[in-house]
Amino acid sequence: MARIKLEFPNPEGHTLVGLLETPPDRVPTARYALFAHCFTCSKDLAAATRISRALAARGIAVLRFDFTGLGNSDGDFANTNFSSNVADLLAAASKLEEDYEAPALLIGHSLGGAAVLAAVHALPSVEAVVTIASPATASHVQHLLSGARGQLEETGEAEVQIGQRRFRIRKQLLDDLDQYASADHIRHLNRALLVFHSPLDTIVSIGEAGKIFQAARHPKSFISLDKADHLLANREDAEYVAETLVAWASRYLGLGKHGFEQSIGTAPRVAEKEVLVTELDTRFQRGLYTHRHQWLADEPKSDGGSDLGPTPYDLLLMSLGACISMTVRTYARHQGVALDDVEVRLSQDRAHGTDCRDCEGEHEGKLERIEVGLNILGALTPDERIRLLEIAARSPVYRMLAACMSVRIGFEEEPSAP
């Protein structure tokens, strides 16, 4: 894997420094993620490093960076607050989008989790959010500063001990935290959410995870980290988070339900608008790759395959059905037709395994006819139903196949007379 150093300015003009963990050459980059570290930590925290590298090994490039005044980034930590952390996070996302691709996944550890929950509303590219040992709101940090509150009120600044280090902070940090006492923004995430937390966390209690989970709407998931500590110092804990995170995210980031896990580590690079098919065994199992997606083709066990994926004929029908469904939906949306749902059921009477075995025979296998049935639901007039059927017959894949063979398209069940 390669680590690429990135530098970018924050809104105050300070230079922030980050590392982009990229997948190895043999693994295509599926999506990009942004990792926000914990309060007073840095991008080089062991857990952040291990999780980022583990995700990169599985096809998700991860940018982790130092907030203002921490690690290798410029600026004075004493002049920062939670709002500036959110602004730094947005600056990092902008850098990713400018140089590579906008992040689809946000990951936040501890206070970094509260930051991603606050920042996600300004990042329309984000499809999924993950928090690790995170408080529900930034105001949770105030208890760490309680001993310095008197001095902050009197002089405006104080030195505090956080973990093994001492930091100088100013009263504006406390004032800023007061603005983030509500968890209402979590209720309106409108993204898939995964919450990791350990019941033994002594820094941020698991009750904070409960607040996040209760405030959020579905889809949301919670995974207990059992005996892990707050910083995930144990390598196995960090790797477990990465493994389960990828499995969960694959559902929301389009990583592919079939074939993704098998092809990890061996997936070839594929150019945009190109498709590659490779042999995964010496029988029928084939890897199917595009620039961003991975899948499998196979044959049923009755034909000597492993039945781990659709047959080539099945894939052909799926392609046709998907194109018809997309075309009908696009037309209905543009024309304001009250289409609730459209199902496309397709069939043909040949067996690919048999045709494949007999391909050298005198009677060459040929797919002569495809039956397509549409089930259109909604408060539609008879004329609108007929029009949608006509539009289905204008879908690009249908027209391409119909020029070469017989494809019959009609309603699954003819509508009864009004």
Side-chain angles (χ1 to χ4, degrees):
M1 288 180 288
R3 271 178 288 170
I4 302 171
K5 182 179 179 180
L6 296 182
E7 296 185 351
F8 51 94
N10 71 358
E12 300 299 320
H14 299 303
T15 298
L16 305 185
V17 178
L19 289 176
L20 179 65
E21 299 280 358
T22 62
D25 289 340
R26 66 183 185 276
V27 178
T29 300
R31 305 303 290 272
Y32 285 81
L34 191 55
F35 192 110
H37 62 68
C38 55
F39 186 51
T40 73
C41 299
S42 78
K43 67 181 182 305
D44 299 318
L45 180 74
T49 301
R50 289 167 180 164
I51 292 172
S52 297
R53 291 177 180 175
L55 292 178
R58 292 155 179 80
I60 300 176
V62 184
L63 172 61
R64 49 191 170 93
F65 71 99
D66 292 322
F67 287 112
T68 301
L70 294 171
N72 300 118
S73 290
D74 293 341
D76 183 356
F77 178 78
N79 291 327
T80 67
N81 52 40
F82 186 74
S83 293
S84 69
N85 283 353
V86 173
D88 288 351
L89 193 60
L90 297 179
S94 179
K95 179 64 174 177
L96 257 187
E97 182 174 12
E98 178 183 341
D99 290 2
Y100 299 92
E101 182 179 289
L105 174 66
L106 289 186
I107 307 166
H109 180 208
S110 194
L111 190 64
V116 301
L117 291 172
V120 66
H121 302 282
L123 297 173
S125 65
V126 173
E127 300 168 36
V129 178
V130 178
T131 65
I132 305 169
S134 299
T137 65
S139 61
H140 175 78
V141 175
Q142 290 181 339
H143 79 281
L144 296 176
L145 314 175
S146 58
R149 184 175 290 274
Q151 187 177 351
L152 287 171
E153 294 290 347
E154 181 179 346
T155 66
E157 63 179 58
E159 193 172 80
V160 297
Q161 178 90 24
I162 301 177
Q164 302 300 313
R165 300 175 59 190
R166 298 192 68 80
F167 295 87
R168 180 158 294 279
I169 62 171
R170 295 194 170 94
K171 184 175 181 296
Q172 52 99 10
L173 173 59
L174 281 180
D175 296 338
D176 185 71
L177 290 175
D178 287 335
Q179 302 177 35
Y180 293 91
S182 171
D184 287 346
H185 60 288
I186 300 176
R187 194 175 311 280
H188 304 290
L189 281 182
N190 295 324
R191 274 88 164 177
L193 172 68
L194 174 60
V195 178
F196 287 102
H197 215 108
S198 168
L200 302 182
D201 193 328
T202 58
I203 305 299
V204 178
S205 76
I206 197 169
E208 292 295 309
K211 294 177 184 178
I212 296 174
F213 194 80
Q214 289 298 322
R217 294 173 176 168
H218 287 289
K220 58 182 178 179
S221 304
F222 172 80
I223 295 179
S224 175
L225 295 181
D226 196 15
K227 299 179 181 179
D229 61 16
H230 180 70
L231 295 179
L232 302 185
N234 189 312
R235 177 185 295 273
E236 286 73 18
D237 291 327
E239 291 177 350
Y240 173 75
V241 167
E243 290 278 359
T244 52
L245 197 162
V246 170
W248 173 85
S250 65
R251 182 178 184 89
Y252 303 102
L253 302 187
L255 301 182
K257 287 182 66 176
H258 302 284
F260 181 75
E261 292 298 330
Q262 291 196 16
S263 61
I264 284 301
T266 59
R269 292 190 177 275
V270 182
E272 290 191 50
K273 298 184 178 181
E274 179 181 74
V275 171
L276 177 66
V277 178
T278 65
E279 285 193 328
L280 298 182
D281 65 14
T282 57
R283 294 292 295 169
F284 298 113
Q285 194 178 136
R286 297 297 178 265
L288 312 177
Y289 307 97
T290 66
H291 172 63
R292 182 168 287 172
H293 302 289
Q294 307 172 48
W295 209 12
L296 287 176
D298 205 344
E299 291 287 353
K301 292 182 179 179
S302 58
D303 287 323
S306 301
D307 201 24
L308 294 178
T311 72
Y313 284 164
D314 292 338
L315 290 168
L316 178 65
L317 297 189
M318 290 177 183
S319 174
L320 173 59
C323 187
I324 289 173
S325 177
M326 291 176 184
T327 303
V328 169
R329 172 56 69 184
T330 300
Y331 174 85
R333 184 171 61 248
H334 287 170
Q335 298 299 319
V337 177
L339 177 63
D340 291 338
D341 193 13
V342 55
E343 294 180 349
V344 186
R345 194 178 301 274
L346 305 95
S347 63
Q348 55 82 30
D349 59 4
R350 301 203 67 89
H352 181 265
T354 301
D355 289 344
C356 191
R357 287 194 301 271
D358 297 341
C359 62
E360 294 182 357
E362 186 174 328
H363 302 290
E364 183 178 349
K366 181 181 178 182
L367 191 62
E368 297 175 343
R369 186 181 183 90
I370 295 176
E371 296 285 345
V372 182
L374 263 64
N375 185 17
I376 296 175
L377 303 177
L380 307 171
T381 67
D383 287 345
E384 286 175 330
R385 288 175 58 84
I386 295 301
R387 183 56 178 161
L388 290 179
L389 188 65
E390 294 171 348
I391 292 300
R394 295 185 182 182
S395 62
V397 175
Y398 172 83
R399 288 193 290 183
M400 180 178 67
L401 291 177
C404 306
M405 58 183 295
S406 174
V407 184
R408 179 187 178 277
I409 185 169
F411 291 115
E412 265 201 280
E413 295 182 5
E414 293 298 331
S416 57

